[in-house]
Amino acid sequence: MVMEEDIKIIKGNIVFTPSFGQLEIFENGFIVIEGKKVKGGYCELPAEYKNIFVTDYKDALIIPGFVDLHFHAPQFANRGLGFDLELLPWLERYTFREEAKFINVAYAQEVYKKVVTELWKWGTTRVVLFGTIHKEATAKLMELLALTGLGGFVGKVNMDRNSPDILIETTEQSLTDTEDYIKDTIDRYQLVKPIITPRFVPTCTPELMTGIAKLAKKYNLPVQSHLSENAGEIAWVKELHPECQNYASVYREFGLFGQRPTIMAHCIYNDDAEIELMAKNKVHVAHCPYSNNNLASGIAPIRKYIDKGISVGLGSDVAGGHEVSMAKVMAMAVQVSKLKWLATDKKERFFTIPEVFYMATKGGGSFFGKVGSFEEGYEFDALVIDDSCLEVSACNQYSIEDRLSRFIYIGDYKNIVARYIAGAKIEQPQF
């Protein structure tokens, strides 16, 4: 039986996406939350709740919290750097050098405080993070994320080949440190958990991939990595693993492609066999349009994946992407889809706001379970948006759907006046 003190009710203009491309709107409606979970959304409050206090957000929009499926936390200081380069030289010149600094836990703490504060500020309520190869620094990242009240997965990166001397492990050390990190963190926090994180095939030997797949199975952990981001990367993987049919099948061969819940970022150049394997193994795609543009990687065929039943969420991909805001990532996802539409002779339809809104909420949230929607039984993650400052004139009467679109395109963090995660209101972190 749910106690009355465990029930919250909030009121406002409620907007969410129960299915891809479909907005559900309760104008001046109510959401009833029991503990961490949504009991229901209502146009009129049921009589059984009439004596319970209602938090009334007036004319504000109430939307599910944003989910970022792909973010490199140690690259935060590199945002905006090196975008005259493609992926592989960018990694060598900028990324690996910055990540090597995280052997220093004090430096890691300084950067990661900024990372989690920015995530909170821009309305990301759940996030999947890459750390570095350094287990102590990555444990600090997880601690800070948990202290902030956000939910997420945090991965200690694995790299034992084709990496600079300043950022490489032995196979044995990588496996030992990864298991130590898992044991230390797996039961420490309620909303933040470890995730197995091979950087990508070129930096992981077969022995390492086999070993971390065993850890994923042993500790029942999900997996994240990169797939088919760049043409040079794909050619390199083919040289390293000529015995495998394609890039995806390398991960599959070593137990890292859907044997446990899996996120693959980018997926720009997957062939039909890879797409079928992704669909069969229920691999999640993290679509990262800013990074794909900045590093001249390409435009991913996201509509094709969705039509095949593949789950797609959005990723900021800091620092390949330079924006933390998932609202801005949504807008960019629409924009690049229009270029894809033109490039395919208008065959691959471009995305609408309700579709990218789904990706940024329920689509990405599905990796966490029942997250990203206001349907009954979903964990209550929400943003309260005061968009009144975006009004131009009292003569402009925008619909709720139009107001959502305007916030996505021209709003910012100052419009977010409250954040809820798993039923709890989360205030600005104080470090």
Side-chain angles (χ1 to χ4, degrees):
M1 181 177 177
V2 179
M3 303 298 290
E4 187 172 303
E5 57 266 29
D6 293 328
I7 299 175
K8 295 185 184 74
I9 302 173
I10 67 171
K11 183 174 185 290
N13 295 304
I14 297 156
V15 191
F16 61 104
T17 52
S19 60
F20 183 69
Q22 175 205 350
L23 287 183
E24 181 123 356
I25 297 171
F26 296 123
E27 193 164 353
N28 296 313
F30 301 84
I31 300 179
V32 175
I33 304 106
E34 295 185 352
K36 298 177 183 179
K37 297 181 179 180
V38 174
K39 176 62 177 176
Y42 308 95
C43 294
E44 298 289 338
L45 189 64
E48 64 192 280
Y49 300 112
K50 66 179 181 179
N51 294 323
I52 297 175
F53 176 77
V54 175
T55 301
D56 189 352
Y57 287 108
K58 307 296 183 184
D59 196 41
L61 302 176
I62 300 172
I63 66 175
F66 295 145
V67 180
D68 188 341
L69 285 187
H70 189 64
F71 188 119
H72 290 266
Q75 296 176 21
F76 186 75
N78 277 6
R79 288 184 306 154
L81 295 179
F83 295 154
D84 52 349
L85 299 173
E86 291 189 63
L87 173 67
L88 298 179
W90 177 78
L91 290 171
E92 292 288 344
R93 188 177 301 181
Y94 291 96
T95 304
F96 292 158
R97 294 179 186 182
E98 176 62 20
E99 290 191 14
K101 297 177 184 177
F102 286 75
I103 194 171
N104 181 332
V105 179
Y107 178 74
Q109 178 167 290
E110 180 184 8
V111 173
Y112 289 156
K113 283 181 179 179
K114 292 182 172 64
V115 169
V116 299
T117 300
E118 286 292 299
L119 287 167
W120 176 90
K121 184 170 83 173
W122 288 100
T124 297
T125 52
R126 308 273 177 151
V127 64
V128 185
L129 295 171
F130 272 61
T132 60
I133 64 173
H134 313 101
K135 65 179 180 180
E136 293 87 359
T138 307
K140 178 59 66 175
L141 172 59
M142 183 183 279
E143 175 190 340
L144 291 168
L145 189 69
L147 285 172
T148 305
L150 305 184
F153 291 102
V154 179
K156 188 210 90 66
V157 174
N158 301 105
M159 301 168 64
D160 71 337
R161 69 173 173 181
N162 296 321
S163 303
D165 292 342
I166 56 171
L167 195 71
I168 194 169
E169 314 163 287
T170 65
T171 306
E172 181 181 5
Q173 193 64 54
S174 185
L175 292 172
T176 298
D177 284 358
T178 300
E179 187 159 23
D180 287 347
Y181 168 72
I182 293 167
K183 288 178 178 178
D184 186 48
T185 61
I186 192 167
D187 294 320
R188 181 167 289 189
Y189 311 109
Q190 188 172 8
L191 293 179
V192 186
K193 300 294 180 181
I195 184 170
I196 296 298
T197 307
R199 184 177 211 106
F200 63 161
V201 165
T203 61
C204 298
T205 61
E207 294 77 16
L208 179 56
M209 287 189 279
T210 299
I212 57 176
K214 289 178 180 177
L215 292 177
K217 182 177 180 180
K218 179 178 179 180
Y219 293 99
N220 194 28
L221 294 179
V223 174
Q224 64 173 340
S225 196
H226 301 85
L227 177 64
S228 300
E229 179 177 358
N230 171 278
E233 166 206 9
I234 296 166
W236 193 10
V237 171
K238 189 64 179 175
E239 290 176 11
L240 291 167
H241 293 278
E243 75 283 2
C244 291
Q245 179 184 358
N246 50 43
Y247 197 161
S249 64
V250 179
Y251 287 119
R252 177 64 180 171
E253 175 70 20
F254 295 108
L256 297 167
F257 205 72
Q259 292 89 340
R260 300 290 312 128
T262 301
I263 297 171
M264 286 288 157
H266 303 290
C267 301
I268 299 171
Y269 298 106
N270 294 351
D271 61 30
D272 288 343
E274 288 177 302
I275 294 170
E276 291 299 328
L277 190 61
M278 290 163 67
K280 178 182 177 182
N281 292 347
K282 296 180 169 55
V283 170
H284 295 247
V285 172
H287 177 38
C288 306
Y290 268 114
S291 178
N292 297 347
N293 292 354
N294 286 338
L295 297 174
S297 297
I299 304 175
I302 298 300
R303 176 73 68 182
K304 187 173 184 180
Y305 299 149
I306 290 170
D307 288 346
K308 289 287 187 179
I310 296 168
S311 179
V312 177
L314 298 178
S316 63
D317 194 23
V318 167
H322 58 280
E323 294 284 0
V324 176
S325 166
M326 294 309 294
K328 294 183 185 298
V329 174
M330 275 188 267
M332 182 54 67
V334 172
Q335 291 164 3
V336 299
S337 76
K338 291 178 178 178
L339 297 178
K340 191 71 170 177
W341 175 66
L342 292 170
T344 59
D345 293 327
K346 301 184 180 181
K347 292 176 183 174
E348 187 171 311
R349 290 174 292 121
F350 59 77
F351 289 119
T352 64
I353 286 293
E355 289 173 335
V356 293
F357 184 56
Y358 179 94
M359 291 184 219
T361 55
K362 190 174 179 180
S366 66
F367 192 73
F368 292 84
K370 286 193 169 185
V371 168
S373 182
F374 295 149
E375 296 160 78
E376 184 176 0
Y378 274 68
E379 293 189 50
F380 183 66
D381 290 7
L383 305 176
V384 180
I385 310 298
D386 178 359
D387 60 338
S388 58
C389 69
L390 303 181
E391 293 177 0
V392 177
S393 165
C395 295
N396 296 113
Q397 297 296 315
Y398 299 109
S399 67
I400 300 300
E401 185 170 353
D402 286 343
R403 288 172 58 189
L404 174 65
S405 179
R406 295 183 86 244
F407 166 69
I408 289 169
Y409 275 99
I410 64 173
D412 67 18
Y413 68 88
K414 292 187 289 292
N415 299 115
I416 306 173
V417 297
R419 300 153 178 83
Y420 291 83
I421 300 173
K425 189 176 181 184
I426 305 299
E427 303 297 341
Q428 183 169 354
Q430 302 295 324
F431 295 120

